[in-house]
Amino acid sequence: MQRFVVAVVDPSRDLLRGNRVPALPTRRAVAESTIARSMSSFTAPPTATSSTTTTEGRALRRSRKPPRAARRGHAVVVKASNEEPPAAPAELSRRDVFAATAALAAAIPLDRASAPFAVPAAFAAMETAGSIPAKVPAAASPLKFSTSTPSRVIKGCWQLGGGHRGDQATDRTSGAAAVEDFAAFARAGINTFDTGPEACGYGPSELIIGEALKSGTIKREDVNIYTKLCCVGREQQNMTSDWVNQKLDLPCRRLGTNKLDLVQMYWNEYNAKHYVDAALFLTDAKAAGRIGAVGLTNFDTKRVAEMVDAGAEIASNQIQFSLLDRRPEREMVPYCAKNGIALLPYGVVAGGLLSDKFLDFPGEDVVLDTSSKRKYASVLGYAGGYAWYQRLLAELRRVGDKHGGATIANVASRWVLDSNDVTPAIILGARNANHVDDHRAMFAFELDDDDKASIRGVLNKGKAPSADCYTYERGGPW
């Protein structure tokens, strides 16, 4: 497996100093192939400049077996350096800066001795004392216009779409293993599953859930199934009720059910205004008993308001929301609070970036081997840079220690849950069931006012977003 040495290890350091550094790419079009091409331009110099040069570090790297995807050449591995780059910032290409930033942002070591979300010993002691609930609790009330009450942690099934295999030693994203894992989530009270069709990137996840139902791994009456209606083609120019109903038939067949608990609509082109018609057709399908609730995915506040004003019974909007992406706070949260609409955030732990694994992590041996890691790799440049990110992790660690050793991931998750009154549940993607116990541990503590204030103090030193939800992904500003 080829390794690369990147000269610039912390470009955010220059960004924070105000030096002129080429901007990060500003479009969603930076995909896996682009990153791979960017990284392939680097060649290793005769003498490595990595700060990890000890015998122990070399032995650790030699002991790591590259994941299957890396051996095929599809993964990107970077060995970064904390030393000053040989070139001045102005001489660096835009590609160089993004590649190095992505490396630092998404660095996840291959040490499998302790998982990023492992439950600390302190929490194990708390569980013995009965402080950790046996199950993740349910939301306080059903979604608006419905009887569906989600568990406060929703199992995200994007990880079953084929792009999250990652480390093969922990990969349970396909086949019988993926089916079996649903039982562990259900036993822990995580009885709500967020899925979707191939058009939204979910691959065979509906079929996997359907097999879990068919095999008796989970029971239909015990679970909530939230799927999506993805409008990404010519139907956006000519939306009809027949098209909507046809698209509802497919997930029902795949899941082996005659009713979908929540259908969340995604719309690709805002210039085609028929998303209002689609929302009304879904409302009609709800009235006919075909679906339990109407939801949205990645809509901004203006478009949500258009659909609500037209009479669509919108129960929820699924959006990206985390300590690194606070765009929903600008407009979406106030609007949803006023109109009783639930937010169902994803990206809450930013693909694993908000975890103990990254605290004081220098950026060595970076592997961008899953879709999540690639998706969130460029977020840090917009949130405040790598140095700021490390200050945030340190503060989350301090808050976690105050609450009996809570993990950084759980503190970050609690912040999203507790930051407003319109988030009944969060979506946490899972490649396996290893993190189920830590999901339960999330509800062994609550953030107090001092915790929220100290975290907010760090956030205020970062970069505030300037646009609404999913505007950047559609070609606008962050």
Side-chain angles (χ1 to χ4, degrees):
M1 176 176 165
Q2 187 176 10
R3 294 178 182 273
F4 303 90
V5 174
V6 181
V8 181
V9 213
D10 192 357
S12 60
R13 178 176 50 194
D14 295 297
L15 293 171
L16 292 173
R17 289 175 180 170
N19 293 342
R20 185 172 182 178
V21 178
L24 294 174
T26 58
R27 295 294 181 268
R28 186 183 180 189
V30 181
E32 175 184 1
S33 59
T34 306
I35 297 175
R37 288 196 302 272
S38 298
M39 303 307 292
S40 65
S41 65
F42 294 102
T43 56
T47 303
T49 59
S50 170
S51 59
T52 302
T53 58
T54 63
T55 301
E56 179 183 358
R58 289 194 297 269
L60 176 60
R61 287 194 291 273
R62 284 197 301 268
S63 69
R64 292 172 177 158
K65 183 178 181 181
R68 179 182 303 171
R71 295 200 300 273
R72 289 198 304 263
H74 292 185
V76 180
V77 180
V78 180
K79 183 168 66 177
S81 168
N82 285 326
E83 297 181 8
E84 289 296 323
E91 299 172 2
L92 298 172
S93 71
R94 175 189 181 107
R95 181 178 62 188
D96 295 345
V97 173
F98 175 66
T101 301
L104 288 164
I108 295 183
L110 297 180
D111 177 11
R112 295 184 282 274
S114 58
F117 305 87
V119 180
F123 267 32
M126 290 173 64
E127 182 166 16
T128 302
S131 296
I132 293 181
K135 293 186 176 183
V136 169
S141 59
L143 299 178
K144 189 177 183 180
F145 303 120
S146 83
T147 60
S148 178
T149 302
S151 49
R152 298 210 71 190
V153 171
I154 297 173
K155 173 179 165 57
C157 296
W158 185 42
Q159 281 67 17
L160 306 182
H164 289 80
R165 297 188 185 281
D167 177 5
Q168 64 181 16
T170 58
D171 176 29
R172 293 177 63 85
T173 60
S174 61
V179 172
E180 293 166 2
D181 276 359
F182 277 90
F185 284 92
R187 285 194 301 269
I190 302 172
N191 66 353
T192 306
F193 310 124
D194 179 70
T195 182
E198 290 92 339
C200 277
Y202 287 82
S205 65
E206 289 178 335
L207 289 170
I208 293 173
I209 297 174
E211 183 58 32
L213 291 168
K214 180 180 178 181
S215 66
T217 303
I218 52 177
K219 296 181 179 180
R220 182 64 183 95
E221 61 269 23
D222 295 335
V223 300
N224 296 302
I225 300 175
Y226 294 174
T227 191
K228 296 177 180 67
L229 177 73
C230 293
C231 306
V232 296
R234 289 177 295 179
E235 70 278 357
Q236 295 173 101
Q237 305 295 331
N238 184 29
M239 178 57 58
T240 67
S241 177
D242 287 343
W243 185 89
V244 170
N245 284 308
Q246 180 184 7
K247 290 300 179 181
L248 295 179
D249 288 338
L250 182 58
C252 285
R253 290 197 301 270
R254 288 181 162 187
L255 293 161
T257 184
N258 57 9
K259 185 175 183 179
L260 305 166
D261 297 308
L262 173 69
V263 174
Q264 305 158 98
M265 177 178 63
Y266 172 77
W267 192 271
N268 198 46
E269 294 292 340
Y270 280 163
N271 290 334
K273 296 288 187 179
H274 297 295
Y275 50 82
V276 175
D277 295 327
L280 293 173
F281 292 145
L282 284 174
T283 300
D284 291 342
K286 174 182 173 296
R290 299 205 64 193
I291 65 177
V294 180
L296 304 173
T297 297
N298 291 327
F299 274 92
D300 63 13
T301 309
K302 177 182 177 181
R303 275 74 185 187
V304 175
E306 289 177 10
M307 288 178 272
V308 170
D309 292 346
E313 296 183 356
I314 305 301
S316 65
N317 188 19
Q318 182 179 142
I319 42 82
Q320 185 172 301
F321 189 15
S322 74
L323 287 162
L324 302 182
D325 182 359
R326 304 183 301 282
R327 290 176 292 176
E329 291 184 327
R330 288 178 51 84
E331 301 178 53
M332 187 63 68
V333 168
Y335 178 82
C336 289
K338 181 179 178 181
N339 291 276
I341 297 172
L343 288 184
L344 301 178
Y346 65 87
V348 173
V349 294
L353 294 178
L354 294 170
S355 70
D356 287 278
K357 278 288 185 181
F358 289 91
L359 179 61
D360 298 325
F361 195 76
E364 303 287 338
D365 293 331
V366 178
V367 180
L368 302 178
D369 60 349
T370 71
S371 297
S372 288
K373 294 174 190 175
R374 291 185 288 270
K375 177 179 175 64
Y376 300 108
S378 62
V379 171
L380 294 184
Y382 298 101
Y386 194 73
W388 169 85
Y389 160 66
Q390 283 297 320
R391 289 196 292 272
L392 175 63
L393 291 184
E395 182 57 29
L396 299 180
R397 180 66 271 143
R398 187 195 67 79
V399 172
D401 290 340
K402 171 183 170 181
H403 292 285
T407 59
I408 285 177
N410 275 352
V411 175
S413 297
R414 286 302 311 218
W415 183 87
V416 175
L417 277 171
D418 298 342
S419 64
N420 58 69
D421 295 326
V422 299
T423 303
I426 56 176
I427 300 168
L428 295 178
R431 296 173 56 249
N432 52 54
N434 291 350
H435 308 319
V436 166
D437 287 341
D438 200 43
H439 293 342
R440 293 190 297 113
M442 186 191 310
F443 300 93
F445 71 100
E446 294 182 4
L447 300 181
D448 59 33
D449 291 341
D450 289 340
D451 300 330
K452 295 175 184 177
S454 67
I455 294 172
R456 183 63 65 175
V458 178
L459 297 180
N460 290 342
K461 295 178 181 177
K463 299 178 182 178
S466 63
D468 199 1
C469 303
Y470 220 70
T471 298
Y472 163 77
E473 291 83 351
R474 295 180 185 277
W478 180 269

